[in-house]
Amino acid sequence: MKLRKVTAASAVVLALTVSATACGGDKKDDNGSSGGGKKITIGIKYDQPGIGQKTPQGYAGFDVDVATYVAGKLGYKPDQIEWKESKSADRETMLQRGDVDFIAASYSITPERQQKVDFAGPYLLAHQDVLLRADDNTIKSPADLNKKKLCSVTGSTSAQNVKDKLAPKAQLQQYPTYSACLTGLQSKAIDALTTDDSILAGYAAQSQFKGKFKLGGFKMTNENYGIGVKKGSDLKAKINKALEEMVSDGSWQKAVDKNFGPAGYKNEPAPKIGDIKS
């Protein structure tokens, strides 16, 4: 009887060990890289048309296309991707905690952020710009924004940057969302909307706004979009290789044309890996 009890207990221990080992296959290592699991978790924006947006049909946008391509090169099919919303204020924390494997979310590479996380890329060079009504020919340079009503979202520094450096007499208007700014622009309650040109192009490319807006083309700042990973992650080198392949095989330009083309977005050439424009 004692022998049978020991044998039965051993069997339970063995079963638990096998189960734990099997479950462990889906975990990620401390560097945030895949440990042979069946899923990869990617952070994106959910509310930026043309960049990253959650829709009834799924997820769409340039960052989504880039992230899907990169995930494919890492060995993951689209149905193995778990998308997670990454709001601007949460991105570094999400990477540090290991909530996501990487983040592609209009994530500009800055020295301050590089102290907390690593970046692959850049994969897009954007610029701060303004969106105007298509029939408005009164604003041809940043200086023309003086005495004009300039909109950006609450908490954004974009409009303040313009007022501080380029158009001190601009009348700042803060709206809760970019969509609200667009409605104001369309109704002539405001004269211009400012943020990254890629974000502006994504909004303007929506079917309901086609032909109604245009980009100023002012290139007021450089915004180097990178893919964020946990500090020290070995994914950085793998993602950089995937980004280079995306450019070389033409997939990068196709993604740009697909997501920004309807807005007449004149994109910069694909940046070289590690070439961060100040």
Side-chain angles (χ1 to χ4, degrees):
M1 292 297 291
K2 288 183 180 179
L3 180 60
R4 280 199 296 270
K5 286 181 180 178
V6 171
T7 303
S10 299
V12 171
V13 172
L14 179 61
L16 289 173
T17 302
V18 171
S19 175
T21 302
C23 292
D26 284 340
K27 292 183 178 179
K28 298 157 191 165
D29 65 27
D30 291 337
N31 285 331
S33 59
S34 171
K38 296 180 180 179
K39 292 281 184 182
I40 187 167
T41 305
I42 303 173
I44 56 170
K45 291 290 180 68
Y46 275 14
D47 59 352
Q48 289 183 346
I51 299 287
Q53 185 179 27
K54 185 178 181 180
T55 73
Q57 293 74 39
Y59 300 90
F62 180 70
D63 282 348
V64 174
D65 290 343
V66 170
T68 301
Y69 183 97
V70 168
K73 292 296 182 179
L74 295 175
Y76 296 91
K77 297 177 181 177
D79 62 2
Q80 293 176 306
I81 298 173
E82 178 184 349
W83 300 105
K84 191 167 281 193
E85 184 176 18
S86 298
K87 295 180 180 180
S88 295
D90 300 334
R91 290 176 298 199
E92 285 84 43
T93 301
M94 291 179 71
L95 289 168
Q96 290 169 339
R97 286 194 313 226
D99 296 342
V100 291
D101 292 287
F102 66 80
I103 290 178
S106 55
Y107 202 0
S108 295
I109 302 171
T110 67
E112 294 77 16
R113 290 171 179 164
Q114 286 177 306
Q115 292 178 10
K116 300 176 182 178
V117 300
D118 284 343
F119 285 96
Y123 63 92
L124 183 72
L125 176 60
H127 307 281
Q128 186 180 344
D129 201 356
V130 294
L131 193 68
L132 310 167
R133 286 184 295 278
D135 61 356
D136 186 351
N137 296 314
T138 66
I139 301 174
K140 298 179 180 179
S141 72
D144 294 331
L145 294 167
N146 281 306
K147 298 184 180 180
K148 298 288 188 178
K149 293 179 180 177
L150 179 64
C151 186
S152 194
V153 297
T154 303
S156 169
T157 60
S158 299
Q160 191 64 48
N161 287 341
V162 174
K163 186 174 177 64
D164 289 345
K165 301 175 183 177
L166 300 167
K169 295 182 181 180
Q171 300 173 27
L172 302 189
Q173 307 286 318
Q174 290 193 332
Y175 283 37
T177 64
Y178 289 118
S179 296
C181 282
L182 278 171
T183 300
L185 185 59
Q186 193 171 1
S187 67
K188 299 186 178 181
I190 61 169
D191 300 302
L193 162 61
T194 186
T195 188
D196 295 358
D197 55 7
S198 57
I199 296 173
L200 295 173
Y203 275 98
Q206 296 178 92
S207 58
Q208 68 267 36
F209 297 130
K210 192 172 182 180
K212 295 180 179 179
F213 303 114
K214 64 183 179 182
L215 289 163
F218 298 160
K219 297 184 178 180
M220 294 181 280
T221 64
N222 290 328
E223 304 296 335
N224 303 273
Y225 286 5
I227 292 181
V229 298
K230 190 175 182 179
K231 201 77 174 171
S233 174
D234 61 0
L235 278 180
K236 178 180 176 178
K238 296 175 183 178
I239 293 172
N240 278 335
K241 182 179 178 182
L243 291 173
E244 288 177 335
E245 292 176 5
M246 188 176 187
V247 173
S248 64
D249 69 15
S251 298
W252 183 89
Q253 189 61 52
K254 287 180 181 177
V256 169
D257 295 340
K258 168 188 166 187
N259 292 290
F260 304 131
Y265 179 55
K266 298 177 181 178
N267 65 282
E268 297 278 6
K272 300 292 185 182
I273 297 301
D275 183 14
I276 300 172
K277 303 293 186 185
S278 59

